[in-house]
Structure formats: structure tokens, C-alpha cells
Amino acid sequence: METLGNQTFQAYMVRKDEEGFRAGLEQITLADLPEADVTIQVEYSSVNYKDGLASTEGGKVVRGYPVIPGIDLAGTVIDSSDSRFKKGDKVLATGYELGVKHFGGYSPYAKVPGDWLVPLPEGLTTKEAMAIGTAGFTAAMSVESLLRTGINQDSGPVLVAGASGGVGSMAISILSELGFEVIASTGKKEQEQELLQKLGATEVITREEAYAKGKGPLSAERFAGVVDPVGGKMLEVVLGSVKYGGGVALSGMTGGYQFESSVIPFILRGVQLIGIDSVYCPAERRTQLWKHLGREWKPKSALQMGVNEVSLEQLPDTLSRILEGKAVGRTVVKLS
Ligand SMILES: NC(=O)c1ccc[n+]([C@@H]2O[C@H](COP(=O)([O-])OP(=O)(O)OC[C@H]3O[C@@H](n4cnc5c(N)ncnc54)[C@H](OP(=O)(O)O)[C@@H]3O)[C@@H](O)[C@H]2O)c1
């Protein structure tokens, strides 16, 4: 710590003040980071849809300026006043107020409350943990929620919507690792559809095919469960295709935040609509799920083929692409 002194380093900062809104790289020092229990040398962060929103003026996710976005980070503790963490420990953090109120991962150093930290689980490097990141953690929460409805590998296929995105691609990988039949729904063209099969999807359908199936409140029972990071119209149509007693794990809204439905799928088929929130997931469930992600739930296919790596300099372009719905797979940001 002392050796860092007033040494400057580059970070991606978003400001909104009397001079207007601006986002870009700045030189800062450790003293510019708001105080917190644990100081981390960040090795990797990741790029999520929410980070894209945080980098734009109308994104509505930032809860205080200035802020360094980056809702995920992983690295090594270099200083700690929290007895649970000591210098040299490998840790990760996702969610809470990281990158939207509290300075986040797009900086080679971060100061983070100890309560938000998870020890890096066995079986994962810091780069793998960030390739998984909030998206993979959300996928894991979704899968766990569907398993809690009682479904298993013999119950039938699980639909993954928004399949080429971060949550979707990680969900395909985890589900196929666990031996589930996975149907992937995507708006992307053939090249990406092939990629989804390599990730572990047994069948790939277009978004239009998925929408076309949903006429009326109930259609044929097809899916044992659904991982839905899309919402909107997708949610409307999939609710009617879930098999008796199955569930939809809803985490996102890239397809819209409003949807119309009826009580029919719930009262005639006992379908469960399960909300997924990764941000304030309690510490015990969080730590347990990360342990799974380092072991039997490790999304090996996604880690092997779907991870892009960018530098801080390449970050602005990458953030624009994710907002345009053009991102494929996960992107990690290398910090140090
Ligand atoms: N609840 C939580 O804790 C939590 C955590 C993480 C993320 N999220 C939310 O989950 C969503 C997905 O996040 P992500 O990181 O996976 O984002 P992402 O990487 O951008 O993936 C989103 C995917 O949704 C599909 N999509 C995009 N625009 C669409 C549209 N207009 N209609 C239908 N589908 C569309 C695309 O997949 P295809 O082209 O393959 O269809 C896209 O790749 C976001 O809304 C995010 O805020 C929530």
C-alpha cells in the first residue's frame, strides 16, 4: 500500500455535474477511491448490460456520480481492516452497489466492503470467475430456482431465452453440464446458432419461432422450465408453454419490462414465475452458488469458447455493443 503512494493509474470514470455528462478514461490515485474495509488489486472485471447502461446518461442505473462502473471484479487483497480477509487472499465481488453507486471494477484498484466479498472458489481463476461474473451467477441462481420447482433431467427440455447473451450463454453451459436437454432461443443469425450448439444447446430456435408458438394463454406443454433474461413478449409466450408444475426464472428485460398475461398458466398448470435478483442475493446462498460454479456447475463450454478479453482502452466500444444487443458470449476486462 505505502509503495503505491500517490502513484496514478487509469480508470474508466463516469461523471455528471455542472459540466454535463461524460464517461471515459482518467488518471486517478488510491486516494480518489472512496474508503472501504478491503483494498483489492483488481485483475479482471467483466462487461454486463448494466455496465452499458451505467456508461450512458439515460441508463437510469447509476445511483450517484461520479462512479467507476464495473459491477463485477476479482483480484487479490492488498490491504484489509476486515478480519475475514488478509493480504494475498484471492476474492471476487458481484452486485450490491458496485459500479452503480460504489466505485466498481473498471480500475486496477478497488476498495470494497468486506461483506460484499466472496473468497475465490476452488476450481476458478480470477479470469474464469469474471467470465462467469454477474451473468453466470444470475444463470446459476436461475438454474437453482428451477431445480427447486422439482424438475430434473428427465422432466423435459429447458428453454433458455436471450441465448447468445451473457446470462443465456452461461445458462446453456451450466444446464448442459448438469445433463439437461436445452432449447436455445436467439435473435442471432446462423453463425451464432452454431455457437449455441457448441455451448451445449440440443436445439436452437429463432426468437420469431418462440414468439409464434404463443397464441392464447396456453399452448402445448413443452418446457420443463425456462431461463428468461429477456422478459416482455418472450415472458408472455413462454408462460403458456411450461409443463405442469414447472417454472420460469425471470432475470431480465432486454425484450421489454412490461408484459401481459392471464392467471391461466398459474392456476391450470401450477406454473411458477420466479424472480431472480443477483444484486442482493444473501451471502450464504451467494458463497454456496460460487462453490458450485467452481465444481460441478462449472460452465466449461462457455469458458472454453465464449470469452472475449478487452483492455480498458477497448471498453467504450464494448459497452456500446452490449447496449445494441450485438454482444455474443461474455467479455472480461483485464486490469492488472
Ligand atoms: N436480475 C438480475 O440480477 C440480473 C443479473 C444480470 C443481468 N440481468 C438482466 O438480464 C438481462 C440480460 O443480461 P445479459 O448480461 O445477459 O445481457 P446481454 O449479454 O446483452 O444479453 C441479452 C440478450 O437478450 C437478447 N435480446 C437483446 N435484445 C432483445 C430484444 N429486443 N428482444 C428479445 N431479446 C433480445 C439477445 O440474445 P439473442 O439475440 O440470443 O436472443 C441478447 O444477447 C438484462 O436485462 C440485464 O439487466 C439481471
Side-chain angles (χ1 to χ4, degrees), residues 138 162-167 186-188 207 229-230 251-254 276 278 322:
T138 304
S164 70
V167 177
T186 184
K188 302 279 190 323
R207 211 180 284 164
V230 171
S251 59
M253 54 173 192
T254 50
I276 302 296
S278 64
I322 200 163

Side-chain angles (χ1 to χ4, degrees), residues 47-50 53 71 134-139 141 160-169 185-189 192 196 207 211 228-231 234 250-256 275-280 321-330:
V47 181
N48 299 273
Y49 191 76
K50 196 171 178 182
L53 292 176
I71 62 170
T134 286
F137 182 70
T138 304
M141 284 185 78
V160 175
S164 70
V167 177
S169 57
S185 151
T186 184
K188 302 279 190 323
K189 299 271 180 287
E192 280 85 6
L196 298 176
R207 211 180 284 164
Y211 289 159
D228 182 11
V230 171
M234 182 63 73
L250 172 69
S251 59
M253 54 173 192
T254 50
I276 302 296
D277 171 51
S278 64
V279 175
Y280 290 108
R321 283 181 66 78
I322 200 163
L323 286 176
E324 290 163 14
K326 290 183 184 159
V328 177
R330 290 280 293 159

